[in-house]
Amino acid sequence: RLARTFDAMIDKIDDSFKRQRQFTNDASHELRTPIAVIQSQAESALNFSHSEDEYRSALATILSEARHMGKLVSDLLFLARSDSRAEKLHMEELNFGELVEGIVAVLKPIAQDNGIDLKVIENGDFIVRGDQTHLTQLLYNIIDNAIKYTLPGGEIKISIEKKGEFVKTSVRDTGIGIPEEHLPHIFERFYRVDKARSRENGGTGLGLSICQWIVSAHGGKIEVFSEVGKGSTFVIWLPSL
Ligand code: ADP
Protein backbone atom coordinates (compact mmCIF):
# COMPACT_ATOMS: atom_id res chain seq x y z
CA ARG A 1 0.00 0.00 0.00
CA LEU A 2 2.82 2.29 0.92
CA ALA A 3 4.45 1.52 -2.44
CA ARG A 4 1.26 2.51 -4.23
CA THR A 5 1.01 5.81 -2.34
CA PHE A 6 4.65 6.42 -3.16
CA ASP A 7 4.06 5.69 -6.88
CA ALA A 8 1.11 8.08 -6.91
CA MET A 9 3.28 10.79 -5.36
CA ILE A 10 6.03 10.26 -7.91
CA ASP A 11 3.45 10.44 -10.73
CA LYS A 12 2.18 13.72 -9.35
CA ILE A 13 5.67 15.22 -9.13
CA ASP A 14 6.43 13.91 -12.61
CA ASP A 15 3.25 15.53 -13.94
CA SER A 16 4.12 18.82 -12.35
CA PHE A 17 7.61 18.77 -13.91
CA LYS A 18 6.06 17.99 -17.29
CA ARG A 19 3.65 20.91 -16.97
CA GLN A 20 6.49 23.22 -15.96
CA ARG A 21 8.58 22.10 -18.96
CA GLN A 22 5.63 22.65 -21.28
CA PHE A 23 5.09 26.11 -19.82
CA THR A 24 8.74 27.09 -20.29
CA ASN A 25 8.62 25.78 -23.86
CA ASP A 26 5.43 27.70 -24.67
CA ALA A 27 6.74 30.88 -23.04
CA SER A 28 10.00 30.76 -25.03
CA HIS A 29 8.06 30.18 -28.21
CA GLU A 30 5.69 33.07 -27.52
CA LEU A 31 8.61 35.41 -26.85
CA ARG A 32 10.52 34.29 -29.93
CA THR A 33 7.81 35.50 -32.33
CA PRO A 34 7.83 39.21 -31.38
CA ILE A 35 11.64 39.19 -31.12
CA ALA A 36 11.89 37.81 -34.67
CA VAL A 37 9.48 40.43 -36.01
CA ILE A 38 11.28 43.31 -34.26
CA GLN A 39 14.64 42.06 -35.51
CA SER A 40 13.58 41.67 -39.13
CA GLN A 41 11.81 45.05 -39.26
CA ALA A 42 14.81 46.83 -37.73
CA GLU A 43 17.25 45.06 -40.03
CA SER A 44 15.26 45.91 -43.12
CA ALA A 45 14.93 49.56 -42.01
CA LEU A 46 18.69 49.81 -41.47
CA ASN A 47 19.86 47.92 -44.55
CA PHE A 48 17.59 49.22 -47.28
CA SER A 49 16.32 52.67 -48.11
CA HIS A 50 12.63 53.22 -47.67
CA SER A 51 10.07 55.97 -47.99
CA GLU A 52 9.11 57.85 -44.84
CA ASP A 53 5.80 55.98 -44.75
CA GLU A 54 7.62 52.65 -44.88
CA TYR A 55 9.89 53.66 -41.99
CA ARG A 56 6.86 54.76 -39.99
CA SER A 57 5.07 51.51 -40.65
CA ALA A 58 8.18 49.52 -39.59
CA LEU A 59 8.39 51.58 -36.38
CA ALA A 60 4.69 51.07 -35.68
CA THR A 61 5.14 47.30 -36.02
CA ILE A 62 8.20 47.38 -33.75
CA LEU A 63 6.28 49.38 -31.15
CA SER A 64 3.29 47.07 -31.18
CA GLU A 65 5.49 43.96 -30.91
CA ALA A 66 7.49 45.54 -28.07
CA ARG A 67 4.22 46.31 -26.24
CA HIS A 68 3.06 42.76 -26.75
CA MET A 69 6.34 41.46 -25.31
CA GLY A 70 5.99 43.80 -22.33
CA LYS A 71 2.52 42.41 -21.60
CA LEU A 72 3.74 38.85 -22.06
CA VAL A 73 6.65 39.35 -19.67
CA SER A 74 4.48 40.96 -16.97
CA ASP A 75 1.91 38.14 -17.24
CA LEU A 76 4.70 35.56 -17.08
CA LEU A 77 6.22 37.24 -14.03
CA PHE A 78 2.83 37.24 -12.31
CA LEU A 79 2.42 33.49 -12.90
CA ALA A 80 6.01 32.80 -11.81
CA ARG A 81 5.35 34.66 -8.53
CA SER A 82 2.08 32.82 -7.99
CA ASP A 83 3.77 29.45 -8.66
CA SER A 84 6.51 30.19 -6.13
CA ARG A 85 3.95 31.55 -3.64
CA ALA A 86 5.73 34.90 -3.76
CA GLU A 87 2.60 36.70 -4.92
CA LYS A 88 1.00 38.05 -1.75
CA LEU A 89 -2.54 39.27 -1.23
CA HIS A 90 -3.20 42.46 0.70
CA MET A 91 -6.67 41.83 2.01
CA GLU A 92 -9.01 44.64 2.94
CA GLU A 93 -12.72 45.27 3.13
CA LEU A 94 -13.91 46.35 -0.31
CA ASN A 95 -17.13 47.67 -1.75
CA PHE A 96 -17.23 45.32 -4.72
CA GLY A 97 -19.97 47.21 -6.58
CA GLU A 98 -17.90 50.39 -6.50
CA LEU A 99 -14.85 48.50 -7.73
CA VAL A 100 -16.83 47.16 -10.69
CA GLU A 101 -18.26 50.63 -11.46
CA GLY A 102 -14.75 52.10 -11.47
CA ILE A 103 -13.46 49.56 -13.98
CA VAL A 104 -16.56 49.90 -16.14
CA ALA A 105 -16.01 53.68 -16.26
CA VAL A 106 -12.52 53.04 -17.69
CA LEU A 107 -13.65 50.40 -20.19
CA LYS A 108 -16.94 51.94 -21.32
CA PRO A 109 -15.35 54.35 -23.83
CA ILE A 110 -13.38 51.45 -25.35
CA ALA A 111 -16.58 49.38 -25.60
CA GLN A 112 -18.36 52.36 -27.17
CA ASP A 113 -15.56 52.82 -29.72
CA ASN A 114 -16.20 49.20 -30.68
CA GLY A 115 -19.96 49.74 -30.96
CA ILE A 116 -20.67 47.70 -27.82
CA ASP A 117 -23.06 48.65 -25.04
CA LEU A 118 -21.57 47.95 -21.58
CA LYS A 119 -23.73 48.17 -18.48
CA VAL A 120 -23.88 47.14 -14.83
CA ILE A 121 -26.97 45.89 -13.00
CA GLU A 122 -26.72 45.85 -9.21
CA ASN A 123 -28.78 46.74 -6.25
CA GLY A 124 -27.44 47.07 -2.77
CA ASP A 125 -23.96 46.97 -1.31
CA PHE A 126 -21.67 44.06 -1.85
CA ILE A 127 -18.79 43.90 0.58
CA VAL A 128 -15.96 41.43 0.09
CA ARG A 129 -12.59 40.91 1.71
CA GLY A 130 -10.10 41.06 -1.07
CA ASP A 131 -6.96 42.46 -2.63
CA GLN A 132 -7.96 45.55 -4.59
CA THR A 133 -5.17 45.32 -7.17
CA HIS A 134 -5.85 41.66 -7.87
CA LEU A 135 -9.62 42.00 -8.04
CA THR A 136 -9.20 44.99 -10.37
CA GLN A 137 -6.98 42.91 -12.65
CA LEU A 138 -9.48 40.03 -12.56
CA LEU A 139 -12.47 42.19 -13.53
CA TYR A 140 -10.46 44.13 -16.08
CA ASN A 141 -9.35 40.91 -17.83
CA ILE A 142 -12.84 39.42 -17.94
CA ILE A 143 -14.57 42.60 -19.17
CA ASP A 144 -11.75 43.36 -21.61
CA ASN A 145 -12.15 39.83 -23.07
CA ALA A 146 -15.90 40.35 -23.38
CA ILE A 147 -15.18 43.52 -25.40
CA LYS A 148 -12.50 41.81 -27.51
CA TYR A 149 -14.68 38.85 -28.43
CA THR A 150 -17.93 40.74 -29.11
CA LEU A 151 -18.82 42.24 -32.49
CA PRO A 152 -20.10 45.79 -33.02
CA GLY A 153 -23.77 46.12 -32.12
CA GLY A 154 -23.31 43.65 -29.25
CA GLU A 155 -23.93 44.08 -25.57
CA ILE A 156 -22.17 43.28 -22.29
CA LYS A 157 -24.18 43.08 -19.08
CA ILE A 158 -22.57 42.78 -15.68
CA SER A 159 -24.79 41.76 -12.81
CA ILE A 160 -23.85 41.50 -9.15
CA GLU A 161 -25.95 39.68 -6.58
CA LYS A 162 -25.62 38.04 -3.20
CA LYS A 163 -26.03 34.25 -3.23
CA GLY A 164 -25.73 32.67 0.20
CA GLU A 165 -22.22 33.28 1.50
CA PHE A 166 -21.01 34.55 -1.86
CA VAL A 167 -21.11 37.60 -4.07
CA LYS A 168 -21.91 36.35 -7.56
CA THR A 169 -20.81 38.50 -10.51
CA SER A 170 -21.89 37.53 -14.02
CA VAL A 171 -20.30 39.10 -17.08
CA ARG A 172 -22.56 38.22 -20.01
CA ASP A 173 -21.64 39.12 -23.58
CA THR A 174 -23.39 38.61 -26.91
CA GLY A 175 -20.06 37.81 -28.57
CA ILE A 176 -18.65 35.06 -30.76
CA GLY A 177 -18.94 32.39 -28.06
CA ILE A 178 -16.62 29.46 -27.33
CA PRO A 179 -17.06 26.00 -28.90
CA GLU A 180 -17.95 23.39 -26.28
CA GLU A 181 -14.82 21.29 -26.84
CA HIS A 182 -12.63 24.28 -25.93
CA LEU A 183 -14.48 25.25 -22.76
CA PRO A 184 -12.64 22.89 -20.39
CA HIS A 185 -9.29 24.31 -21.55
CA ILE A 186 -9.64 28.08 -21.73
CA PHE A 187 -8.23 28.62 -18.22
CA GLU A 188 -5.03 26.79 -19.17
CA ARG A 189 -1.90 28.83 -19.78
CA PHE A 190 -1.50 29.93 -23.41
CA TYR A 191 -4.71 28.15 -24.45
CA ARG A 192 -6.54 30.15 -27.12
CA VAL A 193 -9.47 29.13 -29.30
CA ASP A 194 -8.21 31.23 -32.20
CA LYS A 195 -4.59 32.18 -31.84
CA ALA A 196 -4.53 34.71 -34.67
CA ARG A 197 -7.60 36.52 -33.35
CA SER A 198 -6.23 36.59 -29.79
CA ARG A 199 -2.93 38.04 -31.00
CA GLU A 200 -4.63 40.63 -33.17
CA ASN A 201 -6.36 41.85 -30.02
CA GLY A 202 -3.07 42.00 -28.12
CA GLY A 203 -3.90 38.87 -26.10
CA THR A 204 -1.24 36.67 -24.51
CA GLY A 205 -3.39 33.64 -23.74
CA LEU A 206 -2.48 34.02 -20.05
CA GLY A 207 -5.29 36.31 -18.88
CA LEU A 208 -7.77 33.65 -17.83
CA SER A 209 -5.16 31.54 -16.02
CA ILE A 210 -4.23 34.65 -14.03
CA CYS A 211 -7.95 35.24 -13.33
CA GLN A 212 -8.33 31.70 -12.08
CA TRP A 213 -5.38 32.07 -9.73
CA ILE A 214 -6.76 35.33 -8.33
CA VAL A 215 -10.23 33.89 -7.74
CA SER A 216 -8.97 30.77 -5.96
CA ALA A 217 -6.50 32.80 -3.88
CA HIS A 218 -9.60 34.63 -2.59
CA GLY A 219 -11.40 31.37 -1.78
CA GLY A 220 -13.79 31.73 -4.71
CA LYS A 221 -14.28 30.17 -8.11
CA ILE A 222 -14.85 31.16 -11.73
CA GLU A 223 -17.15 29.43 -14.21
CA VAL A 224 -17.89 29.85 -17.90
CA PHE A 225 -20.99 29.15 -19.97
CA SER A 226 -20.99 29.74 -23.68
CA GLU A 227 -22.77 29.12 -26.93
CA VAL A 228 -21.13 29.72 -30.31
CA GLY A 229 -22.63 32.71 -32.10
CA LYS A 230 -24.73 33.65 -29.07
CA GLY A 231 -22.22 34.71 -26.45
CA SER A 232 -20.42 33.82 -23.25
CA THR A 233 -21.02 34.32 -19.56
CA PHE A 234 -18.21 34.33 -17.02
CA VAL A 235 -19.39 33.92 -13.44
CA ILE A 236 -17.15 34.96 -10.55
CA TRP A 237 -17.96 33.76 -7.02
CA LEU A 238 -16.23 35.56 -4.15
CA PRO A 239 -16.84 34.97 -0.43
CA SER A 240 -19.00 37.78 0.90
CA LEU A 241 -18.52 39.66 4.20
P1 ADP B 1 -6.33 35.99 -24.60
O1 ADP B 1 -5.17 36.84 -24.25
O2 ADP B 1 -6.10 35.18 -25.84
O3 ADP B 1 -7.64 36.72 -24.62
P2 ADP B 1 -7.29 34.61 -22.22
O4 ADP B 1 -6.55 33.69 -21.30
O5 ADP B 1 -7.83 35.87 -21.65
O6 ADP B 1 -6.33 34.89 -23.44
O7 ADP B 1 -8.48 33.79 -22.87
C1 ADP B 1 -8.22 32.51 -23.45
C2 ADP B 1 -9.11 32.28 -24.66
O8 ADP B 1 -10.48 32.14 -24.24
C3 ADP B 1 -9.13 33.42 -25.67
O9 ADP B 1 -8.06 33.32 -26.59
C4 ADP B 1 -10.47 33.21 -26.36
O10 ADP B 1 -10.35 32.21 -27.34
C5 ADP B 1 -11.34 32.65 -25.24
N1 ADP B 1 -12.21 33.70 -24.62
C6 ADP B 1 -12.00 34.35 -23.44
N2 ADP B 1 -13.00 35.19 -23.16
C7 ADP B 1 -13.88 35.08 -24.17
C8 ADP B 1 -15.16 35.69 -24.48
N3 ADP B 1 -15.73 36.59 -23.66
N4 ADP B 1 -15.78 35.31 -25.63
C9 ADP B 1 -15.23 34.40 -26.46
N5 ADP B 1 -14.05 33.80 -26.24
C10 ADP B 1 -13.37 34.12 -25.11
Side-chain angles (χ1 to χ4, degrees), residues 20-222:
Q20 198 59 41
R21 258 200 311 276
Q22 181 69 41
F23 179 51
T24 313
N25 259 341
D26 291 344
S28 318
H29 187 80
E30 294 289 333
L31 282 167
R32 207 175 281 146
T33 314
I35 292 172
V37 177
I38 290 174
Q39 216 165 336
S40 78
Q41 293 282 329
E43 266 165 15
S44 151
L46 279 173
N47 294 337
F48 306 99
S49 68
H50 297 274
S51 68
E52 193 184 324
D53 278 355
E54 285 167 337
Y55 282 123
R56 282 191 166 279
S57 135
L59 282 174
T61 307
I62 289 174
L63 181 61
S64 114
E65 294 297 320
R67 282 198 178 125
H68 181 70
M69 267 176 73
K71 172 93 179 68
L72 202 53
V73 169
S74 60
D75 284 356
L76 285 169
L77 284 173
F78 185 101
L79 287 167
R81 284 196 307 271
S82 63
D83 284 346
S84 65
R85 298 177 209 281
E87 186 67 22
K88 296 279 182 267
L89 298 183
H90 302 285
M91 302 299 255
E92 55 182 326
E93 224 172 87
L94 295 171
N95 183 324
F96 194 69
E98 270 175 22
L99 194 73
V100 173
E101 294 282 359
I103 295 156
V104 166
V106 173
L107 287 174
K108 209 178 169 88
I110 300 171
Q112 264 163 359
D113 284 350
N114 287 284
I116 299 163
D117 187 33
L118 170 62
K119 56 174 167 254
V120 185
I121 304 157
E122 56 166 323
N123 39 45
D125 277 340
F126 303 95
I127 309 295
V128 299
R129 242 182 93 68
D131 178 305
Q132 181 160 5
T133 312
H134 285 116
L135 292 184
T136 302
Q137 186 173 0
L138 161 72
L139 290 162
Y140 188 95
N141 278 350
I142 299 294
I143 304 169
D144 185 50
N145 273 349
I147 297 173
K148 286 194 306 198
Y149 299 106
T150 298
L151 301 172
E155 171 183 85
I156 301 165
K157 253 193 249 164
I158 304 168
S159 63
I160 313 171
E161 57 193 313
K162 181 114 194 269
K163 280 267 160 121
E165 300 298 297
F166 287 86
V167 171
K168 176 189 179 193
T169 307
S170 310
V171 179
R172 185 186 305 265
D173 67 52
T174 58
I176 60 171
I178 302 161
E180 204 182 332
E181 67 270 26
H182 293 281
L183 279 178
H185 302 291
I186 58 164
F187 293 97
E188 290 168 15
R189 297 174 182 192
F190 291 121
Y191 195 91
R192 285 166 277 195
V193 175
D194 179 344
K195 199 166 171 186
R197 183 174 197 135
S198 153
R199 210 166 183 287
E200 231 170 76
N201 285 318
T204 60
L206 296 174
L208 285 182
S209 45
I210 290 177
C211 288
Q212 186 153 55
W213 183 87
I214 294 172
V215 173
S216 36
H218 280 80
K221 64 172 180 171
I222 182 164

